[in-house]
Amino acid sequence: MADLILRNARMINRGMITEGDLHIQKDRIHRVGPSLPNPGTADELDLDGKLVMPGIIDDQVHFREPGLTHKAQIYSESRAAVAGGVTSFMEMPNTKPAALTRELLEDKYKIASRDSLANYSFFMGTSNDNLEEVLRTDPVNVCGVKIFMGSSTGNMLVDDRRTLENLFSRCQMLIATHCEDEHTINANLARYQERYGEDIPFTAHAEIRDHEACYLSSSMAAELARKHGTRLHILHLTTARELELFDANIPLSQKKITSEVCVHHLHFTDQDYPRLGSLIKCNPAIKSPADNRALWEGLLSNKLDIIATDHAPHTWEEKQGNYMHAPSGLPLVQHTLVMMLQHVKQGQISLERMVEKMCHAPAECFRLPERGYLDEGCFADVVVVDPDTSWTVTKEGLLYKCQWSPLEGMTMKGQVHQTYVNGQLVYDQGKILEGRPGMRLVFNPLH
Ligand code: DOR
């Protein structure tokens, strides 16, 4: 059991960077402060000014288990997560079978309790006919209920208005939505197919899954939530216009409607399709530089609350298909922190705000106690970052089962040095250290 003092750290927490020490005892942060005394029992590690931050809480990943394990597994992707500084994840229900009953959902928890190196939670899935089962989900042990109000990998579309009204009015848990209007997408797709057949250029993805499709669906979700007082969290926003649906002036802990932006939508624009094609094909689509600028503004003004990855691995072979066949999604969980560090370096966001949006805000948003902060008494989910090392993303360093990344060849400044999950060192300078699995996340219910 850990008894360790990290000395000479630059700790990022609650909007400040302070120099000092952090004492981890067992699974908790015991003390934080300058020149902490050693009771005589603790090991010590001199960090020589490296950055220390809370572990990232990623509220949207696809780890593909059960059923899609040729793409990824909880075992492999949780190791990629901790190597990237992500200590807790919330996983989506579009596995095979989809997590549409409590029993199927619990099967995923069982796998994670054996195989996940990070802390974990799994969303309950919805369909047009599993309402009663959804309503029986335990809000303390499950992060939320996911509704695909637009179809994506796994075809879990919920498009029946009555079902949606029922879910929004009766569900006493956080509802997370994927918002894209199916009719608009299908009409756009039909036009492109008429013109190009199957060989639609990937540059068209943002015009097929377009602004209108996003707005129609996300505005409907917001309208339903306002009508029924639902706790709604809209995932992966991509367009400037959708920002009008969110209020920047309410403190996060009091918001009923919250929002997420993903690191790839902050990082890439439609100008990257000619270079990366299917590798950055994802749903909702990566859109224009103007939308990208609006997302950054929305994030910094607090219209957008949290940053996530929507880590969605597919095999390299699958991604070689043409537009109609290459599945949507890209692997990101190992690189989300270093991607954001490049934006810190470019002056787009401060370290303090980055930590707010990747660590503090997800904890607040999901009512996840004792995580997301470097506070005394919190679980010791801690990431040590070396801000100065430059390194290049190579295939050899990838821990994703799919073994590819759209970032290969990119030089990054700043590197994850160590990751602790519940006080246990699980990643150390390029190496995964096997140990006890992470914990099932526990939430404060809404009422
Ligand atoms: O691009 C995406 N891929 N978006 C989603 O919503 C689902 C995901 C997947 O599971 O592949």
Side-chain angles (χ1 to χ4, degrees):
M1 276 298 195
D3 193 358
L4 173 69
I5 301 177
L6 301 175
R7 294 221 184 267
N8 298 315
R10 284 198 294 140
M11 292 173 283
I12 317 167
N13 194 37
R14 296 190 181 271
M16 286 183 300
I17 302 183
T18 48
E19 293 181 15
D21 305 340
L22 183 140
H23 188 167
I24 297 173
Q25 228 173 40
K26 297 190 181 145
D27 58 1
R28 303 278 175 160
I29 297 173
H30 175 57
R31 285 194 66 191
V32 181
S35 310
L36 292 180
N38 189 334
T41 49
D43 293 330
E44 300 200 4
L45 185 64
D46 187 349
L47 292 182
D48 196 21
K50 290 189 184 59
L51 299 169
V52 171
M53 57 182 271
I56 292 167
I57 301 166
D58 190 344
D59 81 331
Q60 193 186 180
V61 301
H62 301 265
F63 283 0
R64 308 297 191 204
E65 207 168 348
L68 298 165
T69 52
H70 64 291
K71 296 177 195 274
Q73 286 176 280
I74 291 172
Y75 183 94
S76 53
E77 309 312 279
S78 68
R79 277 153 186 76
V82 298
V86 174
T87 54
S88 297
F89 65 83
M90 302 179 206
E91 208 262 357
M92 289 295 156
N94 57 337
T95 42
K96 217 170 160 183
L100 291 172
T101 66
R102 283 169 301 159
E103 202 182 334
L104 290 169
L105 187 61
E106 283 307 316
D107 287 346
K108 298 175 75 162
Y109 282 100
K110 265 185 226 129
I111 301 169
S113 70
R114 186 190 65 205
D115 289 352
S116 179
L117 215 42
N119 304 312
Y120 50 87
S121 194
F122 295 89
F123 280 89
M124 179 69 173
T126 53
S127 69
N128 281 327
D129 50 24
N130 76 335
L131 176 69
E132 294 308 322
E133 192 67 9
V134 169
L135 296 179
R136 288 191 208 106
T137 313
D138 180 354
V140 174
N141 278 316
V142 177
C143 51
V145 166
K146 167 75 183 278
I147 309 180
F148 280 91
M149 290 174 65
S151 66
S152 196
T153 306
N155 197 14
M156 291 184 70
L157 182 66
V158 179
D159 56 357
D160 177 50
R161 176 79 194 197
R162 233 190 38 215
T163 304
L164 289 171
E165 291 275 0
N166 270 325
L167 281 165
F168 275 73
S169 62
R170 295 179 60 194
C171 189
Q172 300 294 311
M173 295 177 67
L174 177 146
I175 290 182
T177 54
H178 177 130
C179 289
E180 287 183 289
D181 181 65
E182 200 66 10
H183 295 293
T184 309
I185 295 169
N186 288 341
N188 291 341
L189 184 60
R191 273 192 291 112
Y192 274 87
Q193 275 181 306
E194 215 166 274
R195 181 154 166 218
Y196 291 102
E198 289 225 328
D199 276 322
I200 298 171
F202 286 98
T203 45
H205 193 49
E207 288 147 37
I208 293 169
R209 290 187 171 255
D210 68 358
H211 293 76
E212 184 70 6
C214 292
Y215 188 79
L216 275 175
S217 180
S218 49
S219 59
M220 180 177 41
E223 175 213 310
L224 281 166
R226 276 194 291 270
K227 177 170 163 194
H228 297 293
T230 319
R231 172 68 188 92
L232 171 68
H233 182 55
I234 305 189
L235 301 166
H236 42 39
L237 275 302
T238 56
T239 70
R241 187 168 172 213
E242 287 170 292
L243 297 179
E244 74 186 40
L245 302 169
F246 304 102
D247 198 330
N249 300 314
I250 307 174
L252 178 54
S253 59
Q254 288 167 32
K255 283 187 183 181
K256 291 221 78 160
I257 301 179
T258 53
S259 58
E260 174 210 89
V261 62
C262 287
V263 66
H264 48 303
H265 295 121
L266 291 170
H267 190 78
F268 297 111
T269 71
D270 60 10
Q271 309 294 298
D272 294 304
Y273 286 122
R275 183 170 60 91
L276 292 167
S278 70
L279 302 188
I280 58 165
K281 179 186 182 224
C282 59
N283 305 333
I286 289 164
K287 298 197 173 61
S288 70
D291 289 304
N292 177 273
R293 278 193 297 279
L295 294 179
W296 275 103
E297 277 167 29
L299 183 71
L300 296 174
S301 73
N302 291 335
K303 283 197 167 193
L304 298 177
D305 298 301
I306 71 179
I307 300 172
T309 62
D310 193 7
H311 173 75
H314 298 282
T315 67
W316 177 256
E317 291 69 33
E318 288 166 337
K319 279 293 208 180
Q320 300 318 298
N322 63 24
Y323 181 81
M324 293 304 293
H325 290 104
S328 292
L330 55 155
L332 289 154
V333 80
Q334 194 180 340
H335 301 103
T336 179
L337 175 55
V338 291
M339 284 166 85
M340 287 306 297
L341 287 175
Q342 308 319 298
H343 293 283
V344 170
K345 197 177 80 186
Q346 288 158 17
Q348 275 166 292
I349 187 167
S350 68
L351 282 170
E352 295 92 321
R353 299 279 344 253
M354 180 193 84
V355 165
E356 177 199 329
K357 297 293 186 182
M358 300 180 95
C359 313
H360 305 337
E364 297 299 331
C365 204
F366 283 82
R367 305 168 63 88
L368 181 57
E370 303 181 311
R371 299 195 190 270
Y373 295 90
L374 293 181
D375 291 352
E376 292 176 359
C378 276
F379 284 100
D381 296 338
V382 175
V383 181
V384 180
V385 174
D386 177 347
D388 299 319
T389 302
S390 288
W391 60 288
T392 302
V393 180
T394 61
K395 211 174 264 317
E396 294 69 51
L398 301 177
L399 296 177
Y400 308 132
K401 186 162 186 189
C402 69
Q403 279 296 295
W404 65 272
S405 160
L407 305 171
E408 279 170 58
M410 188 176 159
T411 298
M412 303 281 192
K413 181 133 188 255
Q415 193 167 39
V416 176
H417 183 74
Q418 290 188 323
T419 305
Y420 298 82
V421 175
N422 305 313
Q424 176 176 239
L425 180 62
V426 291
Y427 176 80
D428 190 15
Q429 299 167 74
K431 288 201 184 66
I432 294 288
L433 306 178
E434 296 299 338
R436 61 177 193 276
M439 293 180 187
R440 181 170 183 160
L441 296 172
V442 174
F443 304 88
N444 286 327
L446 289 175
H447 302 290

